[in-house]
Amino acid sequence: MPLRIEQDIFVVRQLGREVARAVGLEAQDQTRMATAISEVGRVMLAGGPQAEVAFTITSNGVPVLEVAVRNPVPGDAARLAPQLGQVGRLVDTMEVGDEENGTVVRMLRRLPASAPELTSERMEEIRADLARHVPGTPLDELSVQNQQLIAALDEVRRQRDDLARLNAELEETNRGVMALYHQLSEELEETNRGVVALYAELDDKSVQLRAASEAKTRFLANVSHELRAPVTAIIGLGRLLADASSDALTEEQGRQVELIRSSATDLLSLVNDLLDLAKAEAGRIEPNWADVDLKAVFGQLRGTLRPLVTRPEVELIIEEPALPALRSDEVLLAQILRNLLTNALKFTAAGSVRLSVRPVGDDIEFVVADTGAGIPPELHERIFEEFYQVPGSTALNGKGTGLGLPYARRLAGLLGGALRVESAVGEGSTFTVRLPAS
Ligand code: ADP
């Protein structure tokens, strides 16, 4: 459509709106397009003799309405561009460019996905409709513009109301969140206060516990120490009474004296064990760190334990240690192994009791394995408690005190290591002492 006189600006505005409507743009976009075209037309016409508006549909995946307004004034872009800044906001893209024989303002607007398909028949139809288009008077156009303005103002008011409502909702939500936050922080503070109080109580309790445990240890140490002398005296006196050089006893008296002696001997070993344990618990045992000669330790164990192997069905195997040096306390280590081996011999009716040693990483493990009665898994920790003995387990020789394992575990701890057990009923037991090598 050519633009020659001012009147044409109204006409092209109407035409622009018609085109926008025909190709499927929505009402607001129709107004935007019409406004952009009439504004570009007005600016162009104000400085040049004439112009021309062309509407094209291009499609590169998405169909686009392209409106090109051109005049035959070369180099007019410099004049036009600064005046069209606002217009660019009404369309998707706007370019002002100089061409060989004139200047062109090109505006693009993408068509919505809901727009009807623009087949060539539909395009023909649109062209025919537009050709029949009878332009209204400027007054008509003014009234249309007024209506559009009213609609736009309505829309603005509606959006402002929406915004106010949203703001109110947001404020409400914020208030809720703040209230929740305060409530949570109060609850947290409350909980924290509770936890702090609990910790203080726990500290008190553990101080009391430590004091009680120290008192127990002191008591055990003192009592067992005080008992040792009289019990030793009873054993000595019993021996004297039974001695051949003393006055002869009746058979019954002899039996009773022997009973007193053996009870006193049991009592002495209990007292000795208690004293050992109390000393270990009170931290009164200081390891004497030195290079340990394992061959010598094992040799000594072989010698002292052989007399305990009273059954031909049981074999005591103390392997040759094939290890480099170990830094530890020889006496305490021998004591631990002796306790474990004595136990193994006590609870093994047939098979073997074996002591071996092996390096594991930076540590060394001593393993005492037997083929005896075994210990049910639920009692694996209890046997390390003082005086605990597996119910129904009967020692094959000698009565125990239930203090050997707790003592052995204490000593292993003192040497920087640990003592553990693996065992199942009927499958024997394996006690392992793990110590640092240096
Ligand atoms: P004691 O041997 O003097 O009874 P311990 O503390 O050495 O005390 O052992 C506690 C208990 O653990 C034993 O009474 C016994 O029931 C069980 N026990 C220890 N070693 C073995 C073992 N090698 N095989 C089976 N049971 C064992």
Side-chain angles (χ1 to χ4, degrees), residues 343-344 346-347 370 375 383 388-390 393 400-402 404-406 429:
N343 274 350
K346 268 197 303 194
F347 296 101
D370 65 53
I375 303 157
I383 54 169
Y388 188 81
Q389 297 181 313
V390 175
S393 75
T401 56
L405 286 180
S429 313

Side-chain angles (χ1 to χ4, degrees), residues 273 339-348 353 368-376 379 382-395 398-408 421 423 428-431:
D273 283 357
N339 280 10
L340 298 178
L341 287 164
T342 317
N343 274 350
L345 288 169
K346 268 197 303 194
F347 296 101
T348 304
V353 170
V368 176
D370 65 53
T371 56
I375 303 157
L379 299 182
R382 292 216 63 187
I383 54 169
F384 291 99
E385 287 173 14
E386 290 147 33
F387 300 112
Y388 188 81
Q389 297 181 313
V390 175
S393 75
T394 38
K399 268 208 321 241
T401 56
L403 292 171
L405 286 180
Y407 184 49
V421 64
S423 179
S429 313
T430 302
F431 287 83

Side-chain angles (χ1 to χ4, degrees), residues 200-211:
E201 202 175 315
L202 220 69
D203 277 352
D204 277 358
K205 286 274 182 291
S206 71
V207 167
Q208 288 171 11
L209 210 67
R210 207 169 320 126

Side-chain angles (χ1 to χ4, degrees), residues 147-166:
Q147 269 158 25
Q148 286 168 350
L149 195 61
I150 290 165
L153 285 174
D154 269 354
E155 176 66 16
V156 168
R157 198 184 41 233
R158 204 177 50 73
Q159 286 186 358
R160 201 188 45 211
D161 289 352
D162 275 358
L163 201 66
R165 192 176 44 74
L166 275 177

Side-chain angles (χ1 to χ4, degrees), residues 294-295 320-326 357-360 363-366:
L294 281 184
K295 269 195 195 333
E320 267 309 304
L323 266 190
L326 159 72
V357 58
R358 61 187 181 210
V360 177
D363 295 343
I364 287 180
E365 282 190 349
F366 294 88

Side-chain angles (χ1 to χ4, degrees), residues 288-397:
N288 181 14
W289 298 99
D291 285 338
V292 175
D293 179 359
L294 281 184
K295 269 195 195 333
V297 173
F298 279 30
Q300 205 184 8
L301 285 172
R302 235 178 252 121
T304 51
L305 291 168
R306 188 145 299 142
L308 297 183
V309 190
T310 46
R311 307 165 70 89
E313 303 91 333
V314 179
E315 191 187 3
L316 172 66
I317 308 158
I318 299 203
E319 288 184 0
E320 267 309 304
L323 266 190
L326 159 72
R327 213 171 157 73
S328 196
D329 182 312
E330 198 166 298
V331 177
L332 300 184
L333 173 62
Q335 178 75 55
I336 299 173
L337 296 178
R338 197 176 310 116
N339 280 10
L340 298 178
L341 287 164
T342 317
N343 274 350
L345 288 169
K346 268 197 303 194
F347 296 101
T348 304
S352 65
V353 170
R354 177 186 292 269
L355 167 65
S356 56
V357 58
R358 61 187 181 210
V360 177
D362 283 344
D363 295 343
I364 287 180
E365 282 190 349
F366 294 88
V367 182
V368 176
D370 65 53
T371 56
I375 303 157
E378 65 276 14
L379 299 182
H380 284 185
E381 273 312 301
R382 292 216 63 187
I383 54 169
F384 291 99
E385 287 173 14
E386 290 147 33
F387 300 112
Y388 188 81
Q389 297 181 313
V390 175
S393 75
T394 38
L396 298 167
N397 48 10

